[in-house]
Amino acid sequence: MNQRQHFEQLYRSSSDPWAVKTAWYERRKRELLLASLPREHYRHGFEPGCGNGETTMALLERCDQLVAADFAESAVLLCNARIQREDRRQLHLQKLQLPQEWPQVPPGGFDLLVVSELAYYLDDADLALFSERCLTSLAAGGHWLMCHWRHQAPDLLQNADTIHAQIGASAALKTVVEHRETDFLLEVWERL
């Protein structure tokens, strides 16, 4: 079973497979993620791996335009069902086979990328492509937030600490936020 099929199966069996709406860990982490964003408002945000839309809903309050994408069709349908009519004009929800498929980048780039609980599901080649596309899509002065669980699980292909160290080593980025706990690592970098 490939990753797309794995996530399709998860979202078909539950509309909230990780209890992101109800679990204290997930709610607290999301609040820390939102509080870690250096700016109150962004023009163009991109959330790859939007899942069922819990973080997407909160990001809509912080972005003029938000692209949210997932490769699991069931996740995209769940996210779409959550979005209120008035939010539809600012949300561009897409089913994309990330990182091979990528959304249209706005002129000047995205000024916000939010990658939460996604990068460690990518194999080495896809992670390299994903990281390159994130960096080249990010506007100068834009923020790239990454947040990942630090424990092992059978379906994870990468280690959170290693991924964050690789991204943070880029000469094109400077760290502006670092929050490390036993359970998760949250960092924000700014594009130089």
PDB file of all heavy atoms in Angstrom, residues 77-109:
ATOM      1  N   LEU A  77     -12.027  16.420   0.729  1.00  0.00           N
ATOM      2  CA  LEU A  77     -13.481  16.508   0.859  1.00  0.00           C
ATOM      3  C   LEU A  77     -13.893  16.901   2.278  1.00  0.00           C
ATOM      4  O   LEU A  77     -14.803  17.716   2.460  1.00  0.00           O
ATOM      5  CB  LEU A  77     -14.130  15.180   0.459  1.00  0.00           C
ATOM      6  CG  LEU A  77     -14.011  14.810  -1.020  1.00  0.00           C
ATOM      7  CD1 LEU A  77     -14.513  13.384  -1.263  1.00  0.00           C
ATOM      8  CD2 LEU A  77     -14.753  15.810  -1.896  1.00  0.00           C
ATOM      9  N   LEU A  78     -13.218  16.354   3.286  1.00  0.00           N
ATOM     10  CA  LEU A  78     -13.514  16.712   4.680  1.00  0.00           C
ATOM     11  C   LEU A  78     -13.177  18.176   4.942  1.00  0.00           C
ATOM     12  O   LEU A  78     -13.946  18.894   5.595  1.00  0.00           O
ATOM     13  CB  LEU A  78     -12.731  15.815   5.638  1.00  0.00           C
ATOM     14  CG  LEU A  78     -13.200  14.369   5.739  1.00  0.00           C
ATOM     15  CD1 LEU A  78     -12.154  13.506   6.435  1.00  0.00           C
ATOM     16  CD2 LEU A  78     -14.535  14.304   6.481  1.00  0.00           C
ATOM     17  N   CYS A  79     -12.037  18.622   4.442  1.00  0.00           N
ATOM     18  CA  CYS A  79     -11.640  20.017   4.610  1.00  0.00           C
ATOM     19  C   CYS A  79     -12.649  20.934   3.924  1.00  0.00           C
ATOM     20  O   CYS A  79     -13.074  21.940   4.495  1.00  0.00           O
ATOM     21  CB  CYS A  79     -10.230  20.225   4.055  1.00  0.00           C
ATOM     22  SG  CYS A  79      -9.570  21.881   4.338  1.00  0.00           S
ATOM     23  N   ASN A  80     -13.039  20.580   2.728  1.00  0.00           N
ATOM     24  CA  ASN A  80     -14.003  21.380   1.976  1.00  0.00           C
ATOM     25  C   ASN A  80     -15.324  21.512   2.729  1.00  0.00           C
ATOM     26  O   ASN A  80     -15.936  22.583   2.745  1.00  0.00           O
ATOM     27  CB  ASN A  80     -14.234  20.764   0.599  1.00  0.00           C
ATOM     28  CG  ASN A  80     -15.068  21.644  -0.287  1.00  0.00           C
ATOM     29  OD1 ASN A  80     -14.764  22.810  -0.475  1.00  0.00           O
ATOM     30  ND2 ASN A  80     -16.147  21.090  -0.817  1.00  0.00           N
ATOM     31  N   ALA A  81     -15.757  20.438   3.370  1.00  0.00           N
ATOM     32  CA  ALA A  81     -17.022  20.458   4.104  1.00  0.00           C
ATOM     33  C   ALA A  81     -16.969  21.390   5.319  1.00  0.00           C
ATOM     34  O   ALA A  81     -17.999  21.893   5.765  1.00  0.00           O
ATOM     35  CB  ALA A  81     -17.385  19.037   4.549  1.00  0.00           C
ATOM     36  N   ARG A  82     -15.772  21.658   5.836  1.00  0.00           N
ATOM     37  CA  ARG A  82     -15.607  22.506   7.026  1.00  0.00           C
ATOM     38  C   ARG A  82     -15.642  23.986   6.715  1.00  0.00           C
ATOM     39  O   ARG A  82     -15.871  24.806   7.596  1.00  0.00           O
ATOM     40  CB  ARG A  82     -14.242  22.226   7.678  1.00  0.00           C
ATOM     41  CG  ARG A  82     -14.039  20.820   8.083  1.00  0.00           C
ATOM     42  CD  ARG A  82     -13.907  20.615   9.541  1.00  0.00           C
ATOM     43  NE  ARG A  82     -14.226  21.774  10.317  1.00  0.00           N
ATOM     44  CZ  ARG A  82     -13.516  22.214  11.324  1.00  0.00           C
ATOM     45  NH1 ARG A  82     -12.450  21.597  11.697  1.00  0.00           N
ATOM     46  NH2 ARG A  82     -13.870  23.271  12.005  1.00  0.00           N
ATOM     47  N   ILE A  83     -15.341  24.344   5.480  1.00  0.00           N
ATOM     48  CA  ILE A  83     -15.159  25.744   5.136  1.00  0.00           C
ATOM     49  C   ILE A  83     -16.506  26.441   4.957  1.00  0.00           C
ATOM     50  O   ILE A  83     -17.370  25.965   4.226  1.00  0.00           O
ATOM     51  CB  ILE A  83     -14.316  25.884   3.848  1.00  0.00           C
ATOM     52  CG1 ILE A  83     -13.000  25.096   3.982  1.00  0.00           C
ATOM     53  CG2 ILE A  83     -14.055  27.341   3.504  1.00  0.00           C
ATOM     54  CD1 ILE A  83     -12.160  25.437   5.176  1.00  0.00           C
ATOM     55  N   GLN A  84     -16.669  27.567   5.612  1.00  0.00           N
ATOM     56  CA  GLN A  84     -17.895  28.344   5.507  1.00  0.00           C
ATOM     57  C   GLN A  84     -17.942  29.077   4.164  1.00  0.00           C
ATOM     58  O   GLN A  84     -16.910  29.366   3.568  1.00  0.00           O
ATOM     59  CB  GLN A  84     -17.969  29.366   6.648  1.00  0.00           C
ATOM     60  CG  GLN A  84     -17.910  28.749   8.027  1.00  0.00           C
ATOM     61  CD  GLN A  84     -19.070  27.810   8.286  1.00  0.00           C
ATOM     62  OE1 GLN A  84     -20.211  28.127   7.954  1.00  0.00           O
ATOM     63  NE2 GLN A  84     -18.791  26.655   8.853  1.00  0.00           N
ATOM     64  N   ARG A  85     -19.114  29.386   3.717  1.00  0.00           N
ATOM     65  CA  ARG A  85     -19.304  30.043   2.419  1.00  0.00           C
ATOM     66  C   ARG A  85     -18.469  31.322   2.298  1.00  0.00           C
ATOM     67  O   ARG A  85     -17.851  31.583   1.285  1.00  0.00           O
ATOM     68  CB  ARG A  85     -20.785  30.356   2.217  1.00  0.00           C
ATOM     69  CG  ARG A  85     -21.087  30.996   0.884  1.00  0.00           C
ATOM     70  CD  ARG A  85     -22.577  31.181   0.662  1.00  0.00           C
ATOM     71  NE  ARG A  85     -23.332  29.953   0.748  1.00  0.00           N
ATOM     72  CZ  ARG A  85     -23.464  29.070  -0.228  1.00  0.00           C
ATOM     73  NH1 ARG A  85     -22.873  29.284  -1.375  1.00  0.00           N
ATOM     74  NH2 ARG A  85     -24.179  27.981  -0.075  1.00  0.00           N
ATOM     75  N   GLU A  86     -18.424  32.143   3.333  1.00  0.00           N
ATOM     76  CA  GLU A  86     -17.699  33.413   3.249  1.00  0.00           C
ATOM     77  C   GLU A  86     -16.184  33.220   3.143  1.00  0.00           C
ATOM     78  O   GLU A  86     -15.469  34.117   2.720  1.00  0.00           O
ATOM     79  CB  GLU A  86     -18.041  34.333   4.431  1.00  0.00           C
ATOM     80  CG  GLU A  86     -17.675  33.788   5.795  1.00  0.00           C
ATOM     81  CD  GLU A  86     -18.784  32.951   6.447  1.00  0.00           C
ATOM     82  OE1 GLU A  86     -19.768  32.612   5.765  1.00  0.00           O
ATOM     83  OE2 GLU A  86     -18.649  32.655   7.634  1.00  0.00           O
ATOM     84  N   ASP A  87     -15.686  32.055   3.529  1.00  0.00           N
ATOM     85  CA  ASP A  87     -14.249  31.790   3.451  1.00  0.00           C
ATOM     86  C   ASP A  87     -13.837  31.249   2.084  1.00  0.00           C
ATOM     87  O   ASP A  87     -12.655  31.197   1.779  1.00  0.00           O
ATOM     88  CB  ASP A  87     -13.838  30.766   4.509  1.00  0.00           C
ATOM     89  CG  ASP A  87     -14.046  31.279   5.926  1.00  0.00           C
ATOM     90  OD1 ASP A  87     -13.837  32.485   6.138  1.00  0.00           O
ATOM     91  OD2 ASP A  87     -14.419  30.475   6.788  1.00  0.00           O
ATOM     92  N   ARG A  88     -14.759  30.844   1.273  1.00  0.00           N
ATOM     93  CA  ARG A  88     -14.427  30.179   0.015  1.00  0.00           C
ATOM     94  C   ARG A  88     -13.663  31.080  -0.954  1.00  0.00           C
ATOM     95  O   ARG A  88     -12.865  30.599  -1.731  1.00  0.00           O
ATOM     96  CB  ARG A  88     -15.691  29.655  -0.655  1.00  0.00           C
ATOM     97  CG  ARG A  88     -16.299  28.531   0.163  1.00  0.00           C
ATOM     98  CD  ARG A  88     -17.095  27.596  -0.688  1.00  0.00           C
ATOM     99  NE  ARG A  88     -17.733  26.612   0.156  1.00  0.00           N
ATOM    100  CZ  ARG A  88     -17.185  25.455   0.488  1.00  0.00           C
ATOM    101  NH1 ARG A  88     -16.000  25.145   0.052  1.00  0.00           N
ATOM    102  NH2 ARG A  88     -17.829  24.601   1.257  1.00  0.00           N
ATOM    103  N   ARG A  89     -13.889  32.375  -0.907  1.00  0.00           N
ATOM    104  CA  ARG A  89     -13.203  33.264  -1.844  1.00  0.00           C
ATOM    105  C   ARG A  89     -11.712  33.373  -1.535  1.00  0.00           C
ATOM    106  O   ARG A  89     -10.919  33.680  -2.401  1.00  0.00           O
ATOM    107  CB  ARG A  89     -13.859  34.642  -1.862  1.00  0.00           C
ATOM    108  CG  ARG A  89     -13.850  35.326  -0.515  1.00  0.00           C
ATOM    109  CD  ARG A  89     -14.557  36.687  -0.575  1.00  0.00           C
ATOM    110  NE  ARG A  89     -14.978  37.151   0.709  1.00  0.00           N
ATOM    111  CZ  ARG A  89     -14.168  37.465   1.714  1.00  0.00           C
ATOM    112  NH1 ARG A  89     -12.882  37.339   1.583  1.00  0.00           N
ATOM    113  NH2 ARG A  89     -14.644  37.885   2.859  1.00  0.00           N
ATOM    114  N   GLN A  90     -11.319  33.123  -0.298  1.00  0.00           N
ATOM    115  CA  GLN A  90      -9.904  33.254   0.043  1.00  0.00           C
ATOM    116  C   GLN A  90      -9.187  31.901   0.133  1.00  0.00           C
ATOM    117  O   GLN A  90      -7.971  31.865   0.226  1.00  0.00           O
ATOM    118  CB  GLN A  90      -9.729  34.028   1.350  1.00  0.00           C
ATOM    119  CG  GLN A  90     -10.080  33.229   2.601  1.00  0.00           C
ATOM    120  CD  GLN A  90     -10.107  34.058   3.841  1.00  0.00           C
ATOM    121  OE1 GLN A  90     -11.104  34.700   4.110  1.00  0.00           O
ATOM    122  NE2 GLN A  90      -9.029  34.047   4.596  1.00  0.00           N
ATOM    123  N   LEU A  91      -9.929  30.798   0.059  1.00  0.00           N
ATOM    124  CA  LEU A  91      -9.319  29.472   0.143  1.00  0.00           C
ATOM    125  C   LEU A  91      -9.275  28.820  -1.234  1.00  0.00           C
ATOM    126  O   LEU A  91     -10.280  28.775  -1.942  1.00  0.00           O
ATOM    127  CB  LEU A  91     -10.098  28.567   1.101  1.00  0.00           C
ATOM    128  CG  LEU A  91      -9.571  27.126   1.196  1.00  0.00           C
ATOM    129  CD1 LEU A  91      -8.185  27.083   1.822  1.00  0.00           C
ATOM    130  CD2 LEU A  91     -10.539  26.254   1.992  1.00  0.00           C
ATOM    131  N   HIS A  92      -8.113  28.299  -1.562  1.00  0.00           N
ATOM    132  CA  HIS A  92      -7.922  27.542  -2.797  1.00  0.00           C
ATOM    133  C   HIS A  92      -7.526  26.129  -2.367  1.00  0.00           C
ATOM    134  O   HIS A  92      -6.365  25.872  -2.073  1.00  0.00           O
ATOM    135  CB  HIS A  92      -6.851  28.207  -3.669  1.00  0.00           C
ATOM    136  CG  HIS A  92      -7.136  29.656  -3.890  1.00  0.00           C
ATOM    137  ND1 HIS A  92      -8.038  30.092  -4.837  1.00  0.00           N
ATOM    138  CD2 HIS A  92      -6.689  30.753  -3.251  1.00  0.00           C
ATOM    139  CE1 HIS A  92      -8.113  31.410  -4.777  1.00  0.00           C
ATOM    140  NE2 HIS A  92      -7.303  31.838  -3.829  1.00  0.00           N
ATOM    141  N   LEU A  93      -8.506  25.260  -2.286  1.00  0.00           N
ATOM    142  CA  LEU A  93      -8.326  23.895  -1.813  1.00  0.00           C
ATOM    143  C   LEU A  93      -8.044  22.994  -3.006  1.00  0.00           C
ATOM    144  O   LEU A  93      -8.798  23.011  -3.989  1.00  0.00           O
ATOM    145  CB  LEU A  93      -9.587  23.447  -1.070  1.00  0.00           C
ATOM    146  CG  LEU A  93      -9.584  22.096  -0.392  1.00  0.00           C
ATOM    147  CD1 LEU A  93      -8.461  21.986   0.642  1.00  0.00           C
ATOM    148  CD2 LEU A  93     -10.931  21.854   0.280  1.00  0.00           C
ATOM    149  N   GLN A  94      -6.957  22.216  -2.922  1.00  0.00           N
ATOM    150  CA  GLN A  94      -6.541  21.414  -4.060  1.00  0.00           C
ATOM    151  C   GLN A  94      -6.117  20.015  -3.631  1.00  0.00           C
ATOM    152  O   GLN A  94      -5.533  19.843  -2.565  1.00  0.00           O
ATOM    153  CB  GLN A  94      -5.355  22.080  -4.764  1.00  0.00           C
ATOM    154  CG  GLN A  94      -5.650  23.470  -5.270  1.00  0.00           C
ATOM    155  CD  GLN A  94      -4.438  24.139  -5.884  1.00  0.00           C
ATOM    156  OE1 GLN A  94      -3.484  23.476  -6.261  1.00  0.00           O
ATOM    157  NE2 GLN A  94      -4.475  25.447  -5.984  1.00  0.00           N
ATOM    158  N   LYS A  95      -6.411  19.057  -4.497  1.00  0.00           N
ATOM    159  CA  LYS A  95      -5.878  17.704  -4.342  1.00  0.00           C
ATOM    160  C   LYS A  95      -4.610  17.651  -5.190  1.00  0.00           C
ATOM    161  O   LYS A  95      -4.673  17.778  -6.409  1.00  0.00           O
ATOM    162  CB  LYS A  95      -6.879  16.652  -4.808  1.00  0.00           C
ATOM    163  CG  LYS A  95      -6.352  15.233  -4.658  1.00  0.00           C
ATOM    164  CD  LYS A  95      -7.353  14.236  -5.211  1.00  0.00           C
ATOM    165  CE  LYS A  95      -6.819  12.828  -5.123  1.00  0.00           C
ATOM    166  NZ  LYS A  95      -5.735  12.564  -6.072  1.00  0.00           N
ATOM    167  N   LEU A  96      -3.468  17.521  -4.538  1.00  0.00           N
ATOM    168  CA  LEU A  96      -2.179  17.509  -5.229  1.00  0.00           C
ATOM    169  C   LEU A  96      -1.341  16.341  -4.738  1.00  0.00           C
ATOM    170  O   LEU A  96      -1.310  16.059  -3.539  1.00  0.00           O
ATOM    171  CB  LEU A  96      -1.395  18.806  -4.964  1.00  0.00           C
ATOM    172  CG  LEU A  96      -1.999  20.108  -5.457  1.00  0.00           C
ATOM    173  CD1 LEU A  96      -1.166  21.288  -4.978  1.00  0.00           C
ATOM    174  CD2 LEU A  96      -2.107  20.102  -6.970  1.00  0.00           C
ATOM    175  N   GLN A  97      -0.652  15.704  -5.642  1.00  0.00           N
ATOM    176  CA  GLN A  97       0.302  14.652  -5.287  1.00  0.00           C
ATOM    177  C   GLN A  97       1.633  15.336  -4.972  1.00  0.00           C
ATOM    178  O   GLN A  97       2.509  15.440  -5.800  1.00  0.00           O
ATOM    179  CB  GLN A  97       0.452  13.645  -6.437  1.00  0.00           C
ATOM    180  CG  GLN A  97       1.319  12.448  -6.094  1.00  0.00           C
ATOM    181  CD  GLN A  97       0.751  11.614  -4.962  1.00  0.00           C
ATOM    182  OE1 GLN A  97      -0.435  11.333  -4.916  1.00  0.00           O
ATOM    183  NE2 GLN A  97       1.593  11.210  -4.039  1.00  0.00           N
ATOM    184  N   LEU A  98       1.711  15.850  -3.740  1.00  0.00           N
ATOM    185  CA  LEU A  98       2.917  16.561  -3.302  1.00  0.00           C
ATOM    186  C   LEU A  98       4.076  15.592  -3.128  1.00  0.00           C
ATOM    187  O   LEU A  98       3.858  14.489  -2.656  1.00  0.00           O
ATOM    188  CB  LEU A  98       2.639  17.291  -1.981  1.00  0.00           C
ATOM    189  CG  LEU A  98       1.531  18.342  -2.034  1.00  0.00           C
ATOM    190  CD1 LEU A  98       1.089  18.708  -0.637  1.00  0.00           C
ATOM    191  CD2 LEU A  98       1.984  19.568  -2.797  1.00  0.00           C
ATOM    192  N   PRO A  99       5.282  15.928  -3.459  1.00  0.00           N
ATOM    193  CA  PRO A  99       5.748  17.212  -3.977  1.00  0.00           C
ATOM    194  C   PRO A  99       5.805  17.274  -5.506  1.00  0.00           C
ATOM    195  O   PRO A  99       6.179  18.304  -6.054  1.00  0.00           O
ATOM    196  CB  PRO A  99       7.154  17.311  -3.408  1.00  0.00           C
ATOM    197  CG  PRO A  99       7.636  15.894  -3.408  1.00  0.00           C
ATOM    198  CD  PRO A  99       6.412  15.065  -3.081  1.00  0.00           C
ATOM    199  N   GLN A 100       5.445  16.194  -6.193  1.00  0.00           N
ATOM    200  CA  GLN A 100       5.515  16.195  -7.654  1.00  0.00           C
ATOM    201  C   GLN A 100       4.596  17.258  -8.250  1.00  0.00           C
ATOM    202  O   GLN A 100       4.972  17.932  -9.208  1.00  0.00           O
ATOM    203  CB  GLN A 100       5.169  14.816  -8.229  1.00  0.00           C
ATOM    204  CG  GLN A 100       6.193  13.738  -7.942  1.00  0.00           C
ATOM    205  CD  GLN A 100       6.123  13.195  -6.522  1.00  0.00           C
ATOM    206  OE1 GLN A 100       5.131  13.363  -5.823  1.00  0.00           O
ATOM    207  NE2 GLN A 100       7.195  12.550  -6.087  1.00  0.00           N
ATOM    208  N   GLU A 101       3.406  17.391  -7.701  1.00  0.00           N
ATOM    209  CA  GLU A 101       2.495  18.455  -8.117  1.00  0.00           C
ATOM    210  C   GLU A 101       2.628  19.592  -7.113  1.00  0.00           C
ATOM    211  O   GLU A 101       2.820  19.345  -5.919  1.00  0.00           O
ATOM    212  CB  GLU A 101       1.050  17.952  -8.161  1.00  0.00           C
ATOM    213  CG  GLU A 101       0.822  16.859  -9.183  1.00  0.00           C
ATOM    214  CD  GLU A 101      -0.595  16.328  -9.147  1.00  0.00           C
ATOM    215  OE1 GLU A 101      -1.170  16.206  -8.054  1.00  0.00           O
ATOM    216  OE2 GLU A 101      -1.119  16.019 -10.226  1.00  0.00           O
ATOM    217  N   TRP A 102       2.511  20.807  -7.601  1.00  0.00           N
ATOM    218  CA  TRP A 102       2.706  21.977  -6.736  1.00  0.00           C
ATOM    219  C   TRP A 102       1.707  23.051  -7.148  1.00  0.00           C
ATOM    220  O   TRP A 102       1.385  23.181  -8.330  1.00  0.00           O
ATOM    221  CB  TRP A 102       4.143  22.489  -6.897  1.00  0.00           C
ATOM    222  CG  TRP A 102       4.647  23.249  -5.732  1.00  0.00           C
ATOM    223  CD1 TRP A 102       4.840  24.605  -5.664  1.00  0.00           C
ATOM    224  CD2 TRP A 102       5.029  22.738  -4.454  1.00  0.00           C
ATOM    225  NE1 TRP A 102       5.323  24.955  -4.428  1.00  0.00           N
ATOM    226  CE2 TRP A 102       5.449  23.827  -3.656  1.00  0.00           C
ATOM    227  CE3 TRP A 102       5.055  21.465  -3.899  1.00  0.00           C
ATOM    228  CZ2 TRP A 102       5.883  23.690  -2.346  1.00  0.00           C
ATOM    229  CZ3 TRP A 102       5.486  21.311  -2.595  1.00  0.00           C
ATOM    230  CH2 TRP A 102       5.906  22.416  -1.832  1.00  0.00           C
ATOM    231  N   PRO A 103       1.200  23.812  -6.203  1.00  0.00           N
ATOM    232  CA  PRO A 103       0.240  24.857  -6.582  1.00  0.00           C
ATOM    233  C   PRO A 103       0.925  25.992  -7.343  1.00  0.00           C
ATOM    234  O   PRO A 103       2.149  26.141  -7.294  1.00  0.00           O
ATOM    235  CB  PRO A 103      -0.278  25.353  -5.227  1.00  0.00           C
ATOM    236  CG  PRO A 103       0.851  25.119  -4.294  1.00  0.00           C
ATOM    237  CD  PRO A 103       1.494  23.833  -4.772  1.00  0.00           C
ATOM    238  N   GLN A 104       0.119  26.785  -7.999  1.00  0.00           N
ATOM    239  CA  GLN A 104       0.647  27.979  -8.649  1.00  0.00           C
ATOM    240  C   GLN A 104       1.144  28.926  -7.563  1.00  0.00           C
ATOM    241  O   GLN A 104       0.434  29.210  -6.599  1.00  0.00           O
ATOM    242  CB  GLN A 104      -0.436  28.650  -9.486  1.00  0.00           C
ATOM    243  CG  GLN A 104       0.055  29.863 -10.218  1.00  0.00           C
ATOM    244  CD  GLN A 104      -1.005  30.449 -11.138  1.00  0.00           C
ATOM    245  OE1 GLN A 104      -2.013  29.819 -11.423  1.00  0.00           O
ATOM    246  NE2 GLN A 104      -0.766  31.659 -11.585  1.00  0.00           N
ATOM    247  N   VAL A 105       2.358  29.389  -7.728  1.00  0.00           N
ATOM    248  CA  VAL A 105       2.969  30.292  -6.747  1.00  0.00           C
ATOM    249  C   VAL A 105       2.583  31.720  -7.117  1.00  0.00           C
ATOM    250  O   VAL A 105       2.705  32.118  -8.276  1.00  0.00           O
ATOM    251  CB  VAL A 105       4.510  30.121  -6.742  1.00  0.00           C
ATOM    252  CG1 VAL A 105       5.157  31.077  -5.765  1.00  0.00           C
ATOM    253  CG2 VAL A 105       4.875  28.670  -6.413  1.00  0.00           C
ATOM    254  N   PRO A 106       2.100  32.507  -6.139  1.00  0.00           N
ATOM    255  CA  PRO A 106       1.720  33.886  -6.447  1.00  0.00           C
ATOM    256  C   PRO A 106       2.948  34.718  -6.824  1.00  0.00           C
ATOM    257  O   PRO A 106       4.074  34.375  -6.441  1.00  0.00           O
ATOM    258  CB  PRO A 106       1.093  34.382  -5.142  1.00  0.00           C
ATOM    259  CG  PRO A 106       1.629  33.492  -4.083  1.00  0.00           C
ATOM    260  CD  PRO A 106       1.905  32.170  -4.732  1.00  0.00           C
ATOM    261  N   PRO A 107       2.754  35.807  -7.552  1.00  0.00           N
ATOM    262  CA  PRO A 107       3.888  36.676  -7.882  1.00  0.00           C
ATOM    263  C   PRO A 107       4.635  37.083  -6.606  1.00  0.00           C
ATOM    264  O   PRO A 107       4.026  37.512  -5.637  1.00  0.00           O
ATOM    265  CB  PRO A 107       3.226  37.885  -8.542  1.00  0.00           C
ATOM    266  CG  PRO A 107       1.921  37.365  -9.069  1.00  0.00           C
ATOM    267  CD  PRO A 107       1.499  36.310  -8.091  1.00  0.00           C
ATOM    268  N   GLY A 108       5.934  36.892  -6.607  1.00  0.00           N
ATOM    269  CA  GLY A 108       6.737  37.205  -5.430  1.00  0.00           C
ATOM    270  C   GLY A 108       6.846  36.059  -4.441  1.00  0.00           C
ATOM    271  O   GLY A 108       7.684  36.075  -3.557  1.00  0.00           O
ATOM    272  N   GLY A 109       5.995  35.065  -4.558  1.00  0.00           N
ATOM    273  CA  GLY A 109       6.056  33.883  -3.690  1.00  0.00           C
ATOM    274  C   GLY A 109       5.058  33.917  -2.546  1.00  0.00           C
ATOM    275  O   GLY A 109       4.398  34.919  -2.288  1.00  0.00           O
TER     276      GLY A 109
END
